[in-house]
Amino acid sequence: MPGGVRPRGPLWLITPSLIFLTALFAWPLVAGIGQALTGPGGFTLANVRRMLDDPYFWPAARNTALLIVVLIPLQFALAIAMALLLRARPRFAGVYFYIWVIPLAISDLAAGLVWLAVFTDRGYLNSALAHLQIDGYAWLSYQHPVTMFLAVVVAELWRSTSLVFVIVVAGMQSIPRDYDEAAAVFGASYWQRLRKVILPQLRPSLQVALILRTILALETFAVAQALTGRNLPLLVGETYQWYSVLQNPNVATAIALVILALSMLAAFGYLRALREPGGQP
């Protein structure tokens, strides 16, 4: 452009998106920060201190972190294994696909209630054990925190692995089979082809799936609430408790901001860790 003036056309084109994102994200974020850091007398850190002093906050943070550490690797291992099975084109591959994605159509609370019917004291699991002449077990008792946690892991594994599976299947469909076949011709074993050919090309799909699943795992609530109530506190559950039960939206917002910060840190970490060598994320 003459005189070094840049055209304003592109700016006008993205203006509606900027307005939409500001209204959808930026303004609620500013309002949330203001609510968490204000009180009757103006600016205060009392809500943050009350959040940190709450006896449920740190167990909730620990349980949420532990859920992510245990759940995410299991989900990705299962999703990749199922996607590789479909890539091999077995008989009835389409049937397998639709069966595996059924949990996507089930709400979080409904999934929690389904697994509550399995793990409750008179549920299907204890009934099956009774048929085998084995005494039942209080899987969801507050006295057994390990089995409570495992019940939530199993329920979340069943409910949300299908999301990772769909993303991985979509990523595998974009990988040309020629690469895999060429590696096989040159003597590469199946595991070598998986590590050196398939998984590197799945990097963008795995990146998206990791970000989504970590954020959604941080927001796990309905399944745990249906199975354990507050016996297994999680961060989103504490947000609900402070907002709806204790009627304190300021502290609830402070916990929500912690979840937001953890989500953003996780997304940034995945983008850094899984970016192309020598390139952009």
Side-chain angles (χ1 to χ4, degrees):
M1 293 292 293
V5 178
R6 295 183 178 180
R8 296 185 177 181
L11 179 61
W12 289 111
L13 289 174
I14 67 172
T15 297
S17 298
L18 293 176
I19 295 174
F20 176 75
L21 289 175
T22 300
L24 185 68
F25 182 77
W27 171 245
L29 176 62
V30 172
I33 293 174
Q35 187 174 34
L37 299 179
T38 55
F43 175 81
T44 179
L45 293 176
N47 299 318
V48 177
R49 287 195 295 268
R50 193 169 181 184
M51 175 191 72
L52 296 176
D53 292 339
D54 179 33
Y56 283 95
F57 175 76
W58 292 110
R62 180 200 63 208
N63 291 336
T64 302
L66 187 60
L67 184 67
I68 292 173
V69 170
V70 173
L71 186 63
I72 299 299
L74 288 175
Q75 285 186 323
F76 274 77
L78 280 175
I80 292 172
M82 293 187 297
L84 289 172
L85 177 60
L86 288 187
R87 182 179 170 84
R89 296 178 179 174
R91 291 185 62 188
F92 309 115
V95 176
Y96 298 151
F97 178 82
Y98 286 113
I99 290 175
W100 288 337
V101 299
I102 284 175
L104 277 178
I106 300 176
S107 70
D108 296 5
L109 182 58
L113 294 175
V114 167
W115 285 97
L116 179 63
V118 174
F119 288 111
T120 191
D121 291 350
R122 296 181 179 272
Y124 295 113
L125 181 55
N126 279 343
S127 297
L129 292 176
H131 282 296
L132 299 174
Q133 306 298 319
I134 300 175
D135 292 337
Y137 190 79
W139 306 97
L140 301 178
S141 170
Y142 71 93
Q143 296 175 325
H144 304 140
V146 174
T147 56
M148 272 198 309
F149 178 80
L150 291 178
V152 174
V153 168
V154 170
E156 274 290 301
L157 194 65
W158 176 82
R159 184 193 66 82
S160 56
T161 300
S162 52
L163 174 62
V164 183
F165 168 66
V166 169
I167 295 174
V168 173
V169 167
M172 282 191 178
Q173 289 179 343
S174 66
I175 300 176
R177 289 183 174 271
D178 297 347
Y179 298 162
D180 195 20
E181 293 170 357
V185 168
F186 283 99
S189 67
Y190 177 80
W191 294 109
Q192 288 174 326
R193 300 199 307 272
L194 177 62
R195 290 187 298 108
K196 302 295 185 180
V197 178
I198 296 176
L199 289 181
Q201 294 183 84
L202 273 178
R203 189 191 306 269
S205 298
L206 294 177
Q207 191 179 70
V208 171
L210 272 171
I211 292 172
L212 284 177
R213 273 308 304 145
T214 302
I215 292 174
L216 292 174
L218 281 167
E219 298 172 359
T220 299
F221 169 62
V223 170
Q225 185 72 15
L227 287 172
T228 68
R230 210 181 184 188
N231 291 330
L232 184 75
L234 297 172
L235 285 176
V236 174
E238 290 309 295
T239 303
Y240 169 78
Q241 289 290 331
W242 278 101
Y243 189 86
S244 297
V245 179
L246 301 176
Q247 297 291 307
N248 191 323
N250 300 81
V251 178
T253 304
I255 302 175
L257 289 175
V258 171
I259 298 171
L260 174 63
L262 292 175
S263 300
M264 295 178 67
L265 286 173
F268 178 76
Y270 288 142
L271 290 172
R272 293 281 296 176
L274 295 178
R275 65 180 177 177
E276 294 289 344
Q280 297 296 321

